[in-house]
Amino acid sequence: KVSVFTGDISGLLGNVKNELNYLREFGVRLGEKSELLVEDINEVKAHVPQIEEDIDKVVDKINFINENVDIKELINELTMDNSEKSNFLAAPVILNTHKLYPMANYGASMTPFYTTLCLWVGALLLCALLTTKAKNADFEYTPVEEYLGKYLLFATLAALQGFIASVGDIVVLGVEVKQPVLFIGLAVCYSIIFTAIVYTLVSLFGNVGKAIGVVLLVLQLAGSGGTFPIQVTPDFFQKIHELLPFTYGISAMREAIAGVYYETLAKDLVVLGLFFIFFIFIGVLLKKKANAFLHRFSKKLGESGVIEH
């Protein structure tokens, strides 16, 4: 508004200035002639109303500004230091960040996912390379004894695998871990639990169990929330998220890397412990029946020539 008003006043003052210049020139001519002519007086008389009208317009504009604009406020705005305003416009919000359980870098934040993945793949490889049958025993044994006895071998190798993988993360890859002892312990524990799951599937269902283990791996890659927040994944993976061992394995490892929140750690370990107990129980409960069914199934499958063994 002030800009518009001052523009109008500037134009009016320009008109007044022109009229005043004319009067000044008239005064100069009058001084030079030392006499007044009727024509000169009439000429001046003709200009006076226009000058008066322009001055009245200027006064009206100034009065209008006084009524609509706080001059003191305007002066303060024009004379104040605008650096504070410019700083505010550049950064209207100042964030005071206090990081809770920070991770050193992207590599450290991805370590729980890839370490958990590595341990599951290791369990699959163990069950692919080693047999779940007790073939060289020279004494009588029950299916349950066979199941538990062979699992001791798998569990021992799984613990070694977990130890090597976790120590490799810290020593070879240089991952910054807040609780290295806990991290190594979790890796060993996970490896034993994952091996129990895959071993039970293979022991009960043979090659079909290996396929189930691979399918579970694929589901857990997308449904565990290890790489992206689970909220941005499709609804199917959000629904199975809490049913997957990876979910709790990754969560607990994050506690070891970034700093422990014991309620979360305890919950994750309890759920993983329940997975372990459930699959061991299923293995003990179904091993005898599974052996009888699997013997007939494997025999027919071998006769079909579809698979090697």
Side-chain angles (χ1 to χ4, degrees), residues 198-229:
V198 179
Y199 170 80
T200 299
L201 293 173
V202 175
S203 181
L204 295 180
F205 306 112
N207 289 319
V208 175
K210 298 175 185 178
I212 295 173
V214 173
V215 171
L216 285 175
L217 172 62
V218 174
L219 291 176
Q220 292 182 112
L221 289 176
S224 62
T227 53
F228 295 97

Side-chain angles (χ1 to χ4, degrees), residues 80-99:
M80 72 181 297
D81 183 7
N82 289 319
S83 59
E84 292 185 3
K85 287 189 175 181
S86 63
N87 292 335
F88 171 77
L89 293 174
V93 178
I94 298 176
L95 296 178
N96 293 322
T97 303
H98 178 60
K99 293 184 178 180

Side-chain angles (χ1 to χ4, degrees), residues 66-142:
N66 287 333
E67 293 173 359
N68 291 274
V69 178
D70 188 343
I71 299 299
K72 291 183 179 179
E73 182 181 355
L74 177 62
I75 293 172
N76 290 335
E77 290 290 335
L78 293 175
T79 57
M80 72 181 297
D81 183 7
N82 289 319
S83 59
E84 292 185 3
K85 287 189 175 181
S86 63
N87 292 335
F88 171 77
L89 293 174
V93 178
I94 298 176
L95 296 178
N96 293 322
T97 303
H98 178 60
K99 293 184 178 180
L100 298 175
Y101 308 108
M103 292 192 182
N105 48 48
Y106 178 77
S109 66
M110 294 301 295
T111 297
F113 172 73
Y114 284 110
T115 302
T116 304
L117 171 62
C118 135
L119 298 176
W120 187 277
V121 173
L124 284 173
L125 289 176
L126 282 178
C127 293
L129 295 174
L130 304 179
T131 180
T132 60
K133 305 288 185 183
K135 294 184 177 181
N136 297 326
D138 55 359
F139 55 88
E140 294 293 329
Y141 54 87
T142 65

Side-chain angles (χ1 to χ4, degrees), residues 18-84:
N18 293 334
E19 298 295 341
L20 292 177
N21 287 336
Y22 169 77
L23 292 178
R24 185 173 64 251
E25 293 174 359
F26 174 77
V28 173
R29 293 200 310 271
L30 181 61
E32 293 175 350
K33 294 180 179 179
S34 300
E35 59 181 5
L36 273 173
L37 300 177
V38 175
E39 292 82 0
D40 294 331
I41 294 174
N42 290 333
E43 187 177 354
V44 171
K45 186 178 179 180
H47 281 274
V48 169
Q50 183 63 40
I51 296 174
E52 182 180 3
E53 182 182 352
D54 290 341
I55 292 175
D56 287 341
K57 289 181 179 179
V58 172
V59 172
D60 290 341
K61 286 290 182 181
I62 293 174
N63 289 335
F64 189 78
I65 292 175
N66 287 333
E67 293 173 359
N68 291 274
V69 178
D70 188 343
I71 299 299
K72 291 183 179 179
E73 182 181 355
L74 177 62
I75 293 172
N76 290 335
E77 290 290 335
L78 293 175
T79 57
M80 72 181 297
D81 183 7
N82 289 319
S83 59
E84 292 185 3

